[in-house]
Amino acid sequence: MCLRALVVYLAYAPHYDVPMLSYILKRLLLMIPTLFGILLISFVIIQFVPGGPVERMIAELQGHGTSATARFAGGGVGETGLSAASNSSNSSYKGAQGLDPEFIAELEALYGFDKPAPVRFAIMLKNYLTFNLGESYYQNVGVLSLIAQKMPVSMSLGLWSTLIIYLISIPLGIKKAVKDGTPFDIWTSAAVFIGYAIPSFMFAILLIVLFAGGRYYNFFPLQGLTSDNWEDLSTLGKIKDYAWHMVLPTAAMVISGFASLTMLSKNCFLDEINKHYVLTARAKGLSERRVLYGHVFRNAMLIVIAGFPAVFVAIFFTGSLLIEVIFSLDGLGLLSYNSIMNRDYPVVLGTLYIFSLMSLVMHLFRDLVYVWIDPRIDFESRSV
């Protein structure tokens, strides 16, 4: 959607936006080497990580032959490979003793490790250009399909958390700026610093202990976004059930996110309140409310509002990972965690590619929001 919006903007932008169009084009072109570098570094690191999918499957075959046989029955690996007992001392896998070298070669071919690393990387880049992200090693589902399945959960969690953070942080930051140095500012600053010091996952554990049956109360569900009887509920019942499940994970993400934004809002307002145009507006007899929200707000909130895409990306990609794991929310964070633990490399690299691309696009969108809020920003003199 963001890329489509950029294309439409480039097609219909007026002629006097040439510097901005040049800046957008440069940023789009810079995405190519950035994505290449991210994928290259990640691919190289994966080559040195012990316990890859081949080693893991060998361990499963030696310890659980029946289930492993079923897993590979459709992949061209049959009972012959499992029953082979020749000493494969020439195998590069230390745990492969007792398995036929031909069977090991079939495993390598099945996972694509029968080709040199540069060839595999080149094939991966070619496929990624057409968003062919491959197929999961263990789920027999396309990576893009997996991402599409898990995306709504993470989007929902990230969107609600970001909106609540802004709804709390901006009014609180403005109030703190107006009452700078008062007891209200001091006590709220203490609360903000406590929130800043507590990681979201620690607060999530505390919420579970207090309110999810961990030790004291059992007000909220421990995991998932819906109840088991979701399909039997009415529309209003589904909304209530969804909101009920969202309370704890959203609260855990909000507590660690509102602190920095609150202080940023306060500092931006303090910086603007002390400028000459504010004193002039007050000297003309304008009400304090009109001075704050008619003159100061637009300039003070430039950084805060324009930074919304970056805040959303940070919450969506990094903040939700541990929260989804703790609350067993079937989103992209949990998918990424499980794929790393299972050495499911197509999912690891595929999600990283999508995350990186979306992050780069959203950061470009942030710059466009800057211009939309304050047209005085000059892209022609701005370096990429």
Side-chain angles (χ1 to χ4, degrees), residues 49-61:
V49 174
V54 176
E55 294 95 324
R56 178 180 173 181
M57 195 53 59
I58 288 173
E60 291 185 7
L61 290 171

PDB file of all heavy atoms in Angstrom, residues 49-61:
ATOM      1  N   VAL A  49      25.916 -20.586  11.875  1.00  0.00           N
ATOM      2  CA  VAL A  49      25.121 -20.969  13.046  1.00  0.00           C
ATOM      3  C   VAL A  49      25.066 -22.484  13.123  1.00  0.00           C
ATOM      4  O   VAL A  49      24.673 -23.153  12.154  1.00  0.00           O
ATOM      5  CB  VAL A  49      23.697 -20.393  12.942  1.00  0.00           C
ATOM      6  CG1 VAL A  49      22.825 -20.913  14.081  1.00  0.00           C
ATOM      7  CG2 VAL A  49      23.746 -18.877  12.966  1.00  0.00           C
ATOM      8  N   PRO A  50      25.457 -23.079  14.256  1.00  0.00           N
ATOM      9  CA  PRO A  50      25.411 -24.543  14.378  1.00  0.00           C
ATOM     10  C   PRO A  50      23.984 -25.048  14.516  1.00  0.00           C
ATOM     11  O   PRO A  50      23.073 -24.316  14.890  1.00  0.00           O
ATOM     12  CB  PRO A  50      26.215 -24.808  15.660  1.00  0.00           C
ATOM     13  CG  PRO A  50      26.043 -23.557  16.465  1.00  0.00           C
ATOM     14  CD  PRO A  50      25.978 -22.432  15.460  1.00  0.00           C
ATOM     15  N   GLY A  51      23.811 -26.329  14.205  1.00  0.00           N
ATOM     16  CA  GLY A  51      22.500 -26.938  14.381  1.00  0.00           C
ATOM     17  C   GLY A  51      21.496 -26.523  13.338  1.00  0.00           C
ATOM     18  O   GLY A  51      20.369 -26.144  13.669  1.00  0.00           O
ATOM     19  N   GLY A  52      21.890 -26.556  12.066  1.00  0.00           N
ATOM     20  CA  GLY A  52      20.983 -26.201  10.987  1.00  0.00           C
ATOM     21  C   GLY A  52      19.906 -27.244  10.782  1.00  0.00           C
ATOM     22  O   GLY A  52      19.819 -28.245  11.506  1.00  0.00           O
ATOM     23  N   PRO A  53      19.042 -27.051   9.769  1.00  0.00           N
ATOM     24  CA  PRO A  53      17.936 -27.983   9.547  1.00  0.00           C
ATOM     25  C   PRO A  53      18.392 -29.397   9.226  1.00  0.00           C
ATOM     26  O   PRO A  53      17.735 -30.361   9.619  1.00  0.00           O
ATOM     27  CB  PRO A  53      17.177 -27.359   8.371  1.00  0.00           C
ATOM     28  CG  PRO A  53      18.144 -26.432   7.720  1.00  0.00           C
ATOM     29  CD  PRO A  53      19.029 -25.931   8.810  1.00  0.00           C
ATOM     30  N   VAL A  54      19.521 -29.547   8.504  1.00  0.00           N
ATOM     31  CA  VAL A  54      20.000 -30.889   8.183  1.00  0.00           C
ATOM     32  C   VAL A  54      20.463 -31.595   9.453  1.00  0.00           C
ATOM     33  O   VAL A  54      20.104 -32.760   9.697  1.00  0.00           O
ATOM     34  CB  VAL A  54      21.149 -30.817   7.157  1.00  0.00           C
ATOM     35  CG1 VAL A  54      21.714 -32.210   6.895  1.00  0.00           C
ATOM     36  CG2 VAL A  54      20.645 -30.203   5.842  1.00  0.00           C
ATOM     37  N   GLU A  55      21.268 -30.917  10.276  1.00  0.00           N
ATOM     38  CA  GLU A  55      21.732 -31.523  11.524  1.00  0.00           C
ATOM     39  C   GLU A  55      20.558 -31.863  12.429  1.00  0.00           C
ATOM     40  O   GLU A  55      20.531 -32.908  13.081  1.00  0.00           O
ATOM     41  CB  GLU A  55      22.695 -30.575  12.247  1.00  0.00           C
ATOM     42  CG  GLU A  55      24.000 -30.327  11.511  1.00  0.00           C
ATOM     43  CD  GLU A  55      23.932 -29.063  10.672  1.00  0.00           C
ATOM     44  OE1 GLU A  55      22.850 -28.788  10.125  1.00  0.00           O
ATOM     45  OE2 GLU A  55      24.950 -28.377  10.559  1.00  0.00           O
ATOM     46  N   ARG A  56      19.572 -30.968  12.478  1.00  0.00           N
ATOM     47  CA  ARG A  56      18.417 -31.219  13.336  1.00  0.00           C
ATOM     48  C   ARG A  56      17.629 -32.437  12.859  1.00  0.00           C
ATOM     49  O   ARG A  56      17.189 -33.273  13.666  1.00  0.00           O
ATOM     50  CB  ARG A  56      17.517 -29.994  13.355  1.00  0.00           C
ATOM     51  CG  ARG A  56      16.271 -30.203  14.188  1.00  0.00           C
ATOM     52  CD  ARG A  56      15.384 -28.995  14.203  1.00  0.00           C
ATOM     53  NE  ARG A  56      14.137 -29.313  14.885  1.00  0.00           N
ATOM     54  CZ  ARG A  56      13.156 -28.458  15.038  1.00  0.00           C
ATOM     55  NH1 ARG A  56      13.271 -27.248  14.572  1.00  0.00           N
ATOM     56  NH2 ARG A  56      12.048 -28.814  15.649  1.00  0.00           N
ATOM     57  N   MET A  57      17.443 -32.548  11.556  1.00  0.00           N
ATOM     58  CA  MET A  57      16.686 -33.687  11.047  1.00  0.00           C
ATOM     59  C   MET A  57      17.447 -34.992  11.241  1.00  0.00           C
ATOM     60  O   MET A  57      16.847 -36.042  11.500  1.00  0.00           O
ATOM     61  CB  MET A  57      16.366 -33.471   9.559  1.00  0.00           C
ATOM     62  CG  MET A  57      15.303 -34.413   9.044  1.00  0.00           C
ATOM     63  SD  MET A  57      13.776 -34.386  10.034  1.00  0.00           S
ATOM     64  CE  MET A  57      13.308 -32.658   9.892  1.00  0.00           C
ATOM     65  N   ILE A  58      18.775 -34.923  11.150  1.00  0.00           N
ATOM     66  CA  ILE A  58      19.575 -36.122  11.417  1.00  0.00           C
ATOM     67  C   ILE A  58      19.373 -36.579  12.857  1.00  0.00           C
ATOM     68  O   ILE A  58      19.211 -37.775  13.139  1.00  0.00           O
ATOM     69  CB  ILE A  58      21.067 -35.840  11.140  1.00  0.00           C
ATOM     70  CG1 ILE A  58      21.305 -35.716   9.625  1.00  0.00           C
ATOM     71  CG2 ILE A  58      21.951 -36.938  11.717  1.00  0.00           C
ATOM     72  CD1 ILE A  58      22.698 -35.283   9.270  1.00  0.00           C
ATOM     73  N   ALA A  59      19.370 -35.620  13.772  1.00  0.00           N
ATOM     74  CA  ALA A  59      19.156 -35.955  15.179  1.00  0.00           C
ATOM     75  C   ALA A  59      17.776 -36.563  15.392  1.00  0.00           C
ATOM     76  O   ALA A  59      17.613 -37.523  16.152  1.00  0.00           O
ATOM     77  CB  ALA A  59      19.325 -34.700  16.041  1.00  0.00           C
ATOM     78  N   GLU A  60      16.776 -36.033  14.711  1.00  0.00           N
ATOM     79  CA  GLU A  60      15.424 -36.571  14.845  1.00  0.00           C
ATOM     80  C   GLU A  60      15.332 -37.975  14.247  1.00  0.00           C
ATOM     81  O   GLU A  60      14.654 -38.859  14.787  1.00  0.00           O
ATOM     82  CB  GLU A  60      14.420 -35.642  14.170  1.00  0.00           C
ATOM     83  CG  GLU A  60      14.226 -34.312  14.891  1.00  0.00           C
ATOM     84  CD  GLU A  60      13.129 -33.479  14.265  1.00  0.00           C
ATOM     85  OE1 GLU A  60      12.446 -33.999  13.354  1.00  0.00           O
ATOM     86  OE2 GLU A  60      12.954 -32.324  14.673  1.00  0.00           O
ATOM     87  N   LEU A  61      16.026 -38.177  13.123  1.00  0.00           N
ATOM     88  CA  LEU A  61      16.005 -39.497  12.490  1.00  0.00           C
ATOM     89  C   LEU A  61      16.653 -40.553  13.379  1.00  0.00           C
ATOM     90  O   LEU A  61      16.185 -41.691  13.472  1.00  0.00           O
ATOM     91  CB  LEU A  61      16.731 -39.437  11.141  1.00  0.00           C
ATOM     92  CG  LEU A  61      16.036 -38.648  10.023  1.00  0.00           C
ATOM     93  CD1 LEU A  61      16.965 -38.497   8.842  1.00  0.00           C
ATOM     94  CD2 LEU A  61      14.761 -39.345   9.601  1.00  0.00           C
TER      95      LEU A  61
END
